[in-house]
Amino acid sequence: MDQITVTSPLLPSLDEFIPYLRDIWDRKWITNNGHYHQKLEGALCDYLGVKYLSLFTNGTIPLITALQALHITGEVITSPFSFVATTHSLWWNGIKPIFVDIDPITCNIEPTKIEAAITPKTTAIMPVHVYGMPCDTARIQEIADKYGLKVIYDAAHAFGVTVNGKSILEFGDMSTLSFHATKVFNTIEGGALVCCDAETKKRIDYLKNFGFAGETTIVAPGINGKMDEVRSAYGLLNLKQVDDAIEKRRQIANQYREGLKDVDGITYMNDIQGVHHNYSYFPIFVDAKKYGMTRDELYEKLKKSNILGRRYFYPLISTFSTYKGLDSAKQENLPIATQIADSVICLPMYAGLQEDSVERVLEGLKK
Ligand SMILES: Cc1ncc(COP(=O)(O)O)c(C=O)c1O
């Protein structure tokens, strides 16, 4: 049996890419805000419905840069149920992460638990739109306003997601995106930082280029976060097919849902009214007692049938050696996140996944 991988990258047509490469070779301008970089920034603003977006070399440096741009210090409230880069970005800025438990339905930070975690040192909240499911942005903003906190959303999974027609990237002070190969929209490696005004974008653009504001002027201790011309051109081509890719993902999600609706002990996420989803992942949650098998047993069983799921996110960030000594990392503080991390498997999901492969996954789950 062929292997069914958990993901497969969306690749632009090579025939269309080659003329772009020729043009880059002719221009001899291969990085530092070149022609394709500028075109991709503009195209992404149009596609995503945002005004101010800065391209980056990946999705981690924008997190680190957002914290720098907003002068965040002290403590930041965040979710342990994310990819490690979310919390690592705090650590790299010398900021103490404070973990708060998650909501069992959306898997996002639980707003009702945020206030209890605020101390005089808290300066910001860094929530994550996990699997592209929107956070409770209204409640989070209310808390942020009450305590004078900044909000930086890790929107690495939320490319193209809208809520009642408004981009999810418009909430909070800043949002970050990842364009890693595994994401709905990819530039091989890449990412972006979305902000609210032109002045802030200018500062972000200085910060991602070592702090250069002119030939001899350094305005801040910046970093090198720049996206090059080759990946920008690749991104422009991929953007043309992203709507089709999301539609295919939607069909796959519906095929999974239909096939799993009567399987006792397996639950999954449903669409939310008013939200345009991107179907970036298809997580299932295994109730070992009802299903008759633990999550890990199921994961291994699928693997034996050459079906690769991913325990995403597992283990929780709060259990890693760097963070596990923090008070907020204690397991009793994070019961829902612990339970979700111990029961989740993300099933194979990518635009090119064939109907019969989805059937094979479903058979593997039903047996
Ligand atoms: C939630 C989340 N945040 C941040 C990142 C980091 O993005 P990148 O891999 O592009 O640096 C990822 C990437 O997988 C992610 O899933």
Side-chain angles (χ1 to χ4, degrees):
M1 281 272 194
D2 288 349
Q3 190 172 66
I4 304 178
T5 51
V6 69
T7 186
S8 177
L10 184 69
L11 290 166
S13 137
L14 193 55
D15 287 342
E16 280 188 78
F17 193 36
I18 287 166
Y20 277 58
L21 290 176
R22 282 217 177 84
D23 189 43
I24 293 168
W25 260 240
D26 287 346
R27 288 173 187 274
K28 294 189 170 46
W29 185 318
I30 57 176
T31 188
N32 286 47
N33 198 26
H35 172 77
Y36 287 98
H37 183 285
Q38 288 174 28
K39 274 185 96 162
L40 183 57
E41 278 196 352
L44 284 171
C45 282
D46 290 346
Y47 181 86
L48 296 167
V50 299
K51 260 177 132 169
Y52 304 102
L53 174 147
S54 298
L55 273 176
F56 274 78
T57 191
N58 58 44
T60 302
I61 305 285
L63 286 165
I64 293 172
T65 306
L67 294 161
Q68 285 283 322
L70 293 169
H71 306 288
I72 304 299
T73 56
E75 295 178 359
V76 169
I77 292 169
T78 190
S79 167
F81 191 69
S82 182
F83 184 65
V84 282
T86 313
T87 309
H88 283 356
S89 72
L90 299 171
W91 208 256
W92 273 60
N93 277 288
I95 295 162
K96 184 174 173 186
I98 304 293
F99 297 114
V100 161
D101 208 6
I102 60 172
D103 173 274
I105 306 295
T106 63
C107 297
N108 291 327
I109 197 163
E110 170 57 67
T112 59
K113 306 228 169 100
I114 292 177
E115 278 193 86
I118 295 173
T119 75
K121 290 187 186 153
T122 311
T123 53
I125 309 170
M126 186 179 269
V128 187
H129 301 297
V130 173
Y131 310 131
M133 280 283 163
C135 289
D136 186 345
T137 51
R139 187 70 196 104
I140 290 170
Q141 197 56 54
E142 250 175 59
I143 298 166
D145 290 343
K146 182 169 163 193
Y147 292 90
L149 308 176
K150 299 286 186 195
V151 183
I152 300 166
Y153 283 105
D154 182 339
H157 296 183
F159 187 89
V161 173
T162 63
V163 182
N164 299 322
K166 180 174 163 163
S167 169
I168 193 72
L169 306 169
E170 297 228 293
F171 296 93
D173 295 277
M174 289 189 192
S175 294
T176 66
L177 288 163
S178 164
F179 304 150
H180 182 256
T182 53
K183 299 292 190 270
V184 169
F185 168 77
N186 85 84
T187 57
I188 308 176
E189 293 273 357
L193 180 48
V194 174
C195 66
C196 304
D197 61 87
E199 260 316 290
T200 309
K201 173 167 163 55
K202 200 157 121 190
R203 183 164 168 79
I204 290 165
D205 288 343
Y206 292 155
L207 285 172
K208 78 173 191 190
N209 186 25
F210 309 99
F212 275 110
E215 218 177 298
T216 54
T217 314
I218 293 280
V219 292
I223 198 161
N224 183 359
K226 290 170 281 141
M227 159 80 78
D228 60 75
E229 285 292 273
V230 173
R231 285 184 291 153
S232 300
Y234 173 108
L236 274 172
L237 291 175
N238 250 356
L239 196 55
K240 292 203 285 186
Q241 48 175 359
V242 75
D243 279 338
D244 284 347
I246 292 172
E247 173 54 22
K248 286 195 187 124
R249 286 169 173 273
R250 190 185 67 80
Q251 289 167 10
I252 294 164
N254 284 339
Q255 195 183 341
Y256 276 139
R257 284 169 183 160
E258 187 55 34
L260 290 173
K261 67 177 195 282
D262 298 322
V263 179
D264 208 24
I266 289 186
T267 50
Y268 48 81
M269 289 175 150
N270 283 305
D271 287 358
I272 299 170
Q273 216 190 345
V275 174
H276 173 71
H277 292 276
N278 67 5
Y279 309 96
S280 47
Y281 300 89
F282 195 86
I284 58 165
F285 307 94
V286 184
D287 178 330
K289 273 203 194 109
K290 282 194 196 152
Y291 187 66
M293 198 183 272
T294 66
R295 184 277 308 272
D296 288 343
E297 284 165 349
L298 175 60
Y299 169 76
E300 292 300 336
K301 189 192 109 172
L302 291 173
K303 214 171 174 181
K304 281 203 187 101
S305 316
N306 243 347
I307 298 167
L308 304 184
R310 187 174 176 200
R311 289 167 290 184
Y312 193 67
F313 303 105
Y314 167 82
L316 284 182
I317 302 175
S318 46
T319 65
F320 292 123
S321 58
T322 315
Y323 307 114
K324 70 178 184 201
L326 297 170
D327 276 351
S328 66
K330 291 198 177 99
Q331 195 176 314
E332 63 261 32
N333 187 40
L334 308 166
I336 309 284
T338 303
Q339 189 235 317
I340 298 279
D342 288 343
S343 65
V344 69
I345 304 180
C346 284
L347 298 183
M349 170 57 93
Y350 54 91
L353 188 63
Q354 299 298 312
E355 229 178 293
D356 54 346
S357 298
V358 177
E359 269 320 306
R360 226 180 93 197
V361 179
L362 287 168
E363 275 163 30
L365 294 167
K366 282 179 197 166
K367 263 183 213 160

